[in-house]
Amino acid sequence: NDAHRLIEECMLCANVAAARFLKQHNLQGIYRIHDSPKDEKLDNVLQFLSELGLGFKGRRKTLKAKDFQSFLSKTKGRPDAHLIQTILLRSMSQAVYSHQNIGHFGLSYPAYTHFTSPIRRYPDLMVHRAIRSIIHGRKASKAVQQIKGVKKIAKKHIYPYLAKDLIEIAQYCSMTERRADDATRDVISWLKCEYVEDKVGQEFNGVICSVTGFGIFVELQNVFVEGLVHVSALNNDYYHFDPVKHRLKGERTGTTYHLGDAVKVRVVRVIVHERKIDLELAETPRKKIATNSRKTKPASRRRHKKR
């Protein structure tokens, strides 16, 4: 609600102010950085959007975070809006911790750090120590109002970190964050399987969220649970995986399965301990209308782990 959004904005302001404070005093710290999308991933996104008849305004090499945000706002209300947002997120680089500031592309900030959760994140505590070393330092600063009588503390007793120490700390914090995220996803996958376990035999409307050489992954509508329709379950034809357009195409019938296609599926099997949900199509798939017809179906992409 509005209260949550207000708190989030205040947290963003605090994180930006903390990063600016470190830069102002030329003090190396732990920044939260986010690089721009890699060329290959951006090319895949633009190809996917062109198949939908969509695209970004402006030149490819000058795309900024605001361009992505503006584009997403225009796709609201579309039935495939959730899918488009997922594809854009998959194209993004991973945010990491670093002692060198290169800015945060996703938030469109020239400097950003994590400052507001010292009870949960070690990088926040490192930023607190850096700021404290300036406040209690022996050098005067126009950005700090020091109270008379407060004892000065040597930097080596508050923030005794060299560049090599900060590099090691940033890398370790990034690694532990990914490890925690992987554990969270593993638990969520287990819970999703447990939720669907008693729904074997039931049918759901879904959207193809990923296409691979061994089948199609379908996200069940309004449930946000993914399952696999294995290529062996598509027994009405022999399907070839097109790595360029990222689709499965029937050799005899010309039937194709693209990312974003709406399908109806049936839950066949749930293996909780393996985090697997097997599906099968519950209806006859659409066939290609004509070999020379122009279509605007989305190009599929391989399954991607996490932003």
Side-chain angles (χ1 to χ4, degrees), residues 12-274:
L12 290 173
C13 289
N15 291 338
V16 170
R20 289 176 178 173
F21 189 78
L22 295 181
K23 286 189 64 180
Q24 183 179 359
H25 293 85
N26 296 319
L27 184 64
Q28 285 190 320
I30 303 296
Y31 291 93
R32 184 67 169 178
I33 63 171
H34 185 227
D35 203 356
S36 57
K38 303 301 181 184
D39 290 342
E40 182 180 355
K41 289 185 177 181
L42 187 56
D43 288 339
N44 290 336
V45 170
L46 294 177
Q47 180 183 355
F48 165 72
L49 294 177
S50 66
E51 294 277 345
L52 293 176
L54 301 172
F56 288 97
K57 290 184 178 180
R59 296 182 179 179
R60 175 186 176 282
K61 294 184 178 181
T62 60
L63 288 177
K64 304 294 183 183
K66 63 180 181 181
D67 298 316
F68 283 79
Q69 186 62 39
S70 175
F71 173 79
L72 285 175
S73 64
K74 294 178 181 178
T75 61
K76 288 183 178 179
R78 289 176 59 104
D80 56 356
H82 171 68
L83 183 63
I84 293 173
Q85 183 180 26
T86 300
I87 294 302
L88 288 181
L89 286 175
R90 288 176 180 176
S91 73
M92 296 292 175
S93 302
Q94 290 184 338
V96 296
Y97 294 107
S98 175
H99 76 295
Q100 292 183 331
N101 174 49
I102 65 170
H104 197 293
F105 177 84
L107 295 175
S108 194
Y109 290 143
Y112 188 72
T113 190
H114 278 168
F115 168 80
T116 56
S117 297
I119 61 172
R120 292 188 293 121
R121 292 189 301 233
Y122 190 71
D124 300 65
L125 182 59
M126 288 292 297
V127 174
H128 281 233
R129 290 172 179 170
I131 293 176
R132 184 167 178 258
S133 70
I134 298 173
I135 293 175
H136 291 277
R138 294 172 180 173
K139 293 183 179 180
S141 171
K142 296 181 180 179
V144 176
Q145 183 179 355
Q146 296 179 327
I147 301 174
K148 293 182 179 180
V150 174
K151 184 180 178 181
K152 305 293 183 180
I153 305 175
K155 183 175 177 290
K156 64 180 181 180
H157 297 308
I158 303 177
Y159 198 66
Y161 304 105
L162 302 176
K164 64 180 183 66
D165 300 320
L166 295 175
I167 294 174
E168 183 178 351
I169 291 172
Q171 291 176 345
Y172 182 77
C173 289
S174 296
M175 181 275 294
T176 54
E177 180 191 31
R178 299 300 171 222
R179 185 175 63 186
D181 288 342
D182 289 341
T184 300
R185 281 196 299 268
D186 191 49
V187 172
I188 291 175
S189 297
W190 179 81
L191 291 173
K192 287 180 177 181
C193 289
E194 188 181 55
Y195 174 75
V196 182
E197 191 175 17
D198 62 349
K199 295 174 175 56
V200 173
Q202 295 186 22
E203 297 181 357
F204 295 87
N205 292 321
V207 176
I208 298 177
C209 59
S210 182
V211 181
T212 69
F214 55 85
I216 56 176
F217 286 90
V218 178
E219 183 180 271
L220 306 185
Q221 189 174 355
N222 300 324
V223 181
F224 301 107
V225 173
E226 293 182 9
L228 171 67
V229 179
H230 196 271
V231 68
S232 61
L234 304 174
N235 52 19
N236 65 323
D237 202 346
Y238 184 81
Y239 286 86
H240 295 277
F241 176 60
D242 187 337
V244 177
K245 296 185 177 180
H246 299 281
R247 65 181 182 180
L248 288 179
K249 182 179 180 180
E251 185 178 88
R252 178 176 52 84
T253 63
T255 303
T256 57
Y257 295 97
H258 291 83
L259 187 68
D261 283 352
V263 293
K264 192 170 186 178
V265 295
R266 183 183 301 108
V267 179
V268 178
R269 186 186 305 106
V270 178
I271 308 175
V272 177
H273 67 279
E274 293 184 9

